[in-house]
């Protein structure tokens, strides 16, 4: 979408979108978490943060200040890697670098954090768009994240409204009539990745992308938590915890 202004605290993102474009039934409205965080006033400054002993200890092994590390730890359930990067599990199960705290596309000296509950933010904006337009739509809130095993960041879904993040192919047939047994397609991340390609990471000013024609709207409520593996199931998380006990 063109013409989205710089977003400020308390801006009505649903209204800003609806005033600038036509929305149709079934559209997936993909929104960068950066502007959702700005509208929700989730900016802060490191000046106000007092680091604890753990943050001070971690700062000896990583290029971050104790204040920044403290800000990350306060937003995390668990720290999985503390050097040379800070990889944490957030309270809703989202695992990412630096707890998603971001300094790009915000003013100097100001940091921006993810919405406290991006599913709730997606639902709030989605219901707003539906009531302004009388349509039935889906929303995906995205952030740019790195990936395990590969270089390069992509857009991922951090909050959803009326779109299940996983499409279950189990029970369907392949070209040779064999039944698919495992495949769950991460559709919300796929859509987020495609939208992120249009958003870019810099000064483009494209925080909203509308994807039309996918028929992914769910009848019931949906959550990004459907994607996150439990502690028991997640072998990588288990290995990282095992290693941390030993360093
Ligand atoms: P993130 O992936 O959620 O961290 O968001 P980015 O910082 O990568 O920004 C994604 C896109 O949104 C880029 O095209 C930015 O230029 C744009 N963007 C970020 N903030 C604003 C804003 O307040 N207004 C507008 N119009 N674009 C913004
Ligand atoms: Mn950013
Ligand atoms: Mn970000
Ligand atoms: Mn980005």
């Amino acid at each position: 979408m063109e013409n989205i202004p710089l977003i400020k605290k308390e801006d009505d993102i649903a209204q800003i979108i609806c005033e600038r474009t036509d929305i149709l039934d079934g559209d997936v409205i993909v929104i960068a978490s950066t502007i959702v965080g700005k509208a929700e006033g989730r900016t802060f400054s490191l000046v106000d943060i007092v680091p604890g002993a753990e943050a001070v200890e971690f700062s000896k092994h990583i290029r971050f200040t104790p204040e920044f590390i403290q800000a990350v730890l306060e937003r995390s359930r668990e720290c999985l890697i503390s050097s040379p990067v800070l990889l944490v599990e957030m309270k809703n199960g989202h695992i990412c670098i630096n707890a998603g705290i971001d300094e790009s596309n915000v003013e100097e000296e100001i940091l921006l954090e993810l919405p406290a509950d991006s599913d709730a933010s997606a639902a709030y904006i989605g219901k707003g768009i539906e009531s302004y337009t009388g349509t039935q739509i889906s929303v995906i809130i995205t952030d740019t994240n790195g990936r395990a095993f590969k270089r390069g960041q992509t857009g991922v879904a951090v909050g959803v409204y009326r779109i299940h993040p996983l499409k279950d192919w189990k029970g369907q047939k392949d070209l040779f009539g064999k039944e698919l047994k495992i495949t769950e397609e991460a559709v919300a991340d796929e859509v987020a990745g495609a939208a992120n390609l249009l958003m870019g990471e810099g000064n483009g000013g494209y925080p909203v992308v509308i994807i039309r024609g996918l028929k992914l709207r769910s009848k019931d409520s949906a959550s990004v938590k459907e994607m996150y593996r439990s502690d028991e199931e997640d072998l990588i998380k288990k290995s990282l915890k095992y290693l941390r006990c030993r360093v």
Side-chain angles (χ1 to χ4, degrees):
M1 271 189 67
E2 308 277 347
N3 304 332
I4 304 263
L6 274 179
I7 299 298
K8 315 177 298 300
K9 188 176 178 188
E10 289 175 10
D11 276 350
D12 182 342
I13 290 183
Q15 186 184 5
I16 287 171
I17 293 171
C18 296
E19 280 171 356
R20 286 166 176 76
T21 192
D22 292 329
I23 303 289
L24 300 182
D25 271 327
D27 283 355
V28 184
I29 322 288
V30 189
I31 308 172
S33 54
T34 294
I35 65 160
V36 181
K38 286 180 186 174
E40 294 181 359
R42 294 184 67 77
T43 51
F44 64 98
S45 160
L46 291 180
V47 177
D48 306 319
I49 291 175
V50 183
E54 194 178 29
V56 172
E57 179 55 34
F58 285 1
S59 73
K60 294 174 186 158
H61 310 280
I62 191 167
R63 63 191 168 88
F64 295 144
T65 62
E67 288 76 13
F68 180 79
I69 298 168
Q70 181 67 28
V72 173
L73 295 180
E74 282 172 7
R75 289 157 179 81
S76 311
R77 180 196 289 163
E78 189 153 18
C79 179
L80 299 172
I81 299 178
S82 58
S83 157
V85 294
L86 262 184
L87 181 74
V88 298
E89 178 174 356
M90 304 199 57
K91 288 175 182 129
N92 72 345
H94 183 61
I95 295 177
C96 64
I97 296 291
N98 299 343
I101 296 173
D102 202 335
E103 59 178 2
S104 69
N105 291 314
V106 282
E107 295 95 327
E108 289 290 325
E109 309 292 324
I110 299 289
L111 296 176
L112 180 68
E113 63 178 317
L114 292 171
D117 178 347
S118 294
D119 280 336
S121 303
Y124 178 76
I125 297 168
K127 286 175 186 169
I129 293 172
E130 290 180 334
S131 77
Y132 284 124
T133 59
T135 56
Q136 295 198 315
I137 50 96
S138 308
V139 173
I140 298 177
I141 296 178
T142 63
D143 195 15
T144 306
N145 277 194
R147 299 151 319 148
F149 308 118
K150 284 182 174 175
R151 285 171 181 257
Q153 289 93 42
T154 66
V156 298
V158 296
V160 295
Y161 168 66
R162 293 283 185 152
I163 175 169
H164 287 301
L166 300 177
K167 174 176 169 177
D168 191 358
W169 285 86
K170 293 195 286 291
Q172 306 227 30
K173 297 279 193 310
D174 77 357
L175 280 174
F176 297 93
K178 286 175 292 186
E179 196 167 296
L180 298 170
K181 297 203 175 64
I182 298 170
T183 311
E184 290 177 314
E185 184 181 1
V187 288
D189 280 345
E190 290 179 316
V191 173
N196 198 74
L197 190 59
L198 296 171
M199 291 177 187
E201 305 297 337
N203 62 4
Y206 299 113
V208 179
V209 172
I210 295 170
I211 309 268
R212 188 159 290 160
L214 281 181
K215 297 196 171 64
L216 288 173
R217 189 174 191 274
S218 65
K219 293 194 180 64
D220 52 350
S221 62
S223 167
V224 284
K225 290 184 182 156
E226 295 164 39
M227 281 192 286
Y228 301 137
R229 294 195 170 106
S230 66
D231 285 351
E232 225 7 75
E233 202 188 2
D234 194 325
L235 298 181
I236 299 171
K237 206 183 336 179
K238 269 191 195 165
S239 323
L240 289 171
K241 286 183 189 172
Y242 178 85
L243 288 171
R244 274 188 73 75
C245 298
R246 277 156 188 78
V247 285

